Amino acid sequence: MSQSLVDDQAEAAPGSARPVAAPGSPTEPGHPAGLRRVLRFLLRRPGLLVSVVVLVLVVLAAFWPDLFTSQDPLKGVPSQNFRGPSGSHWFGTDELGRDVFSRVVHGAQLSLKATLIAVLVAFVVGGLLGTVAGFVGRWVDDVLMRFVDVLLAIPALFLSLALVTALGYGTVKVAVAVGIAGVASFARVARAEVLRVRQAVFVEASRSCGVRWYSVLGRHVLPNAAGPVIVLATLDFGSSILAVSALSFLGYGAPPPAPEWGTLISDGRNYLANAWWLTALPGLAIAATVLAANRVARALDGEWARQR
């Protein structure tokens, strides 16, 4: 999905950029009229509204897990092991009698923070490479894009595995590896957008008036080129969750008993015959988060732009 977004942005027609909305404009989200438009937009799309609610709940669970559970995710009661989902244990218990729901909630803190680090690394590094390549051009563009082509030639998961093997185990190192693997897509989208905006009429007019290059870049190019890159960051959020969970599943994440989402699935696969919930329910939590992130990204990419 990220690659299709890269291709779509690379084929965008030059000169089609529009200046950003002025502060206080009715189209600005912070304006009361803009807030009403956002609410109408959400209420007309129940699936999008549910996705936003899911993401809000995941973020709350990541930063304030005590809002959802008061049980210790590391403390088990051996006499209550392998209890199925019930009112006292919504997601059941594991082989040590630990509450799986509390482990999923507290695992969101590790998995989501690792995902945010990964997306931030890809956004900053890839956006910087793409902006420099598109704005400077010439041999700088050629050198940077050939480096990006090398990254695109390697499957993202394989590149993440190679990087995390070199960096070592741990949640932060997994996040950095996943982020570096996603740099190429951000660089391509950022470069395409900078090239498109750079040829717009208002940018050419600023240059003709003698405005300095850094002022043109900061006031005109970056604000009008940032939208698709931000949308890609939202879309990459879902794929980064999958990548971080996959590396944790393989044992590259935080060491046990840390309740990372991928680790929970890996631990539960040995008990699928008699305790399906150990793998299925954490897996559903990951799937719901990824689908919600992709739905929000799709709304930002196409539906909101057509609405405006």
Side-chain angles (χ1 to χ4, degrees):
M1 298 182 72
S2 298
Q3 184 62 40
S4 64
L5 180 57
V6 171
D7 296 337
D8 291 342
Q9 299 301 332
E11 296 174 359
S16 59
R18 294 182 300 176
V20 295
S25 170
T27 60
E28 190 184 15
H31 193 275
L35 291 176
R36 288 196 295 271
R37 292 186 62 189
V38 171
L39 290 176
R40 285 199 303 269
F41 180 78
L42 290 175
L43 292 176
R44 291 173 182 174
R45 294 164 176 81
L48 177 60
L49 183 60
V50 171
S51 300
V52 172
V53 171
V54 169
L55 289 182
V56 170
L57 292 176
V58 171
V59 171
L60 290 176
F63 291 94
W64 298 281
D66 293 337
L67 292 176
F68 299 90
T69 179
S70 58
Q71 300 194 47
D72 188 348
L74 305 180
K75 183 179 179 180
V77 181
S79 61
Q80 297 185 4
N81 63 335
F82 293 123
R83 297 293 176 90
S86 62
S88 56
H89 301 285
W90 290 1
F91 285 8
T93 60
D94 62 6
E95 70 279 7
L96 299 178
R98 296 172 296 191
D99 183 70
V100 177
F101 178 74
S102 66
R103 290 179 63 76
V104 170
V105 170
H106 284 81
Q109 185 175 30
L110 294 171
S111 298
L112 188 62
K113 288 183 178 179
T115 302
L116 291 176
I117 294 174
V119 173
L120 184 62
V121 169
F123 181 85
V124 172
V125 178
L128 182 61
L129 291 177
T131 301
V132 171
F135 194 76
V136 177
R138 299 181 182 178
W139 65 269
V140 176
D141 185 17
D142 293 335
V143 171
L144 292 179
M145 286 303 102
R146 296 300 75 77
F147 171 71
V148 169
D149 290 341
V150 171
L151 293 180
L152 286 173
I154 306 173
L157 185 58
F158 290 166
L159 181 57
S160 299
L161 282 171
L163 290 172
V164 78
T165 302
L167 294 174
Y169 296 4
T171 302
V172 175
K173 294 176 181 178
V174 164
V176 173
V178 172
I180 294 176
V183 162
S185 298
F186 282 86
R188 290 294 295 272
V189 172
R191 174 182 177 271
E193 286 301 304
V194 169
L195 288 174
R196 177 177 63 85
V197 176
R198 194 180 65 176
Q199 301 175 21
V201 176
F202 60 91
V203 174
E204 295 294 336
S206 298
R207 288 179 171 178
S208 301
C209 294
V211 179
R212 297 183 182 273
W213 66 267
Y214 52 82
S215 181
V216 173
L217 179 64
R219 295 182 58 186
H220 299 294
V221 176
L222 290 181
N224 287 283
V229 185
I230 295 174
V231 172
L232 179 59
T234 310
L235 187 61
D236 191 64
F237 182 82
S239 59
S240 295
I241 290 177
L242 289 177
V244 169
S245 299
L247 293 177
S248 299
F249 178 87
L250 295 174
Y252 291 99
E260 281 190 321
W261 283 352
T263 305
L264 293 179
I265 297 176
S266 178
D267 293 341
R269 62 180 173 167
N270 299 321
Y271 307 100
L272 282 174
N274 61 333
W276 56 268
W277 56 87
L278 297 181
T279 298
L281 297 182
L284 287 176
I286 296 175
T289 305
V290 173
L291 291 175
N294 290 343
R295 180 65 183 92
V296 172
R298 184 159 59 89
L300 292 175
D301 184 30
E303 297 175 20
W304 178 250
R306 288 193 297 269
Q307 180 79 6
R308 296 180 63 183

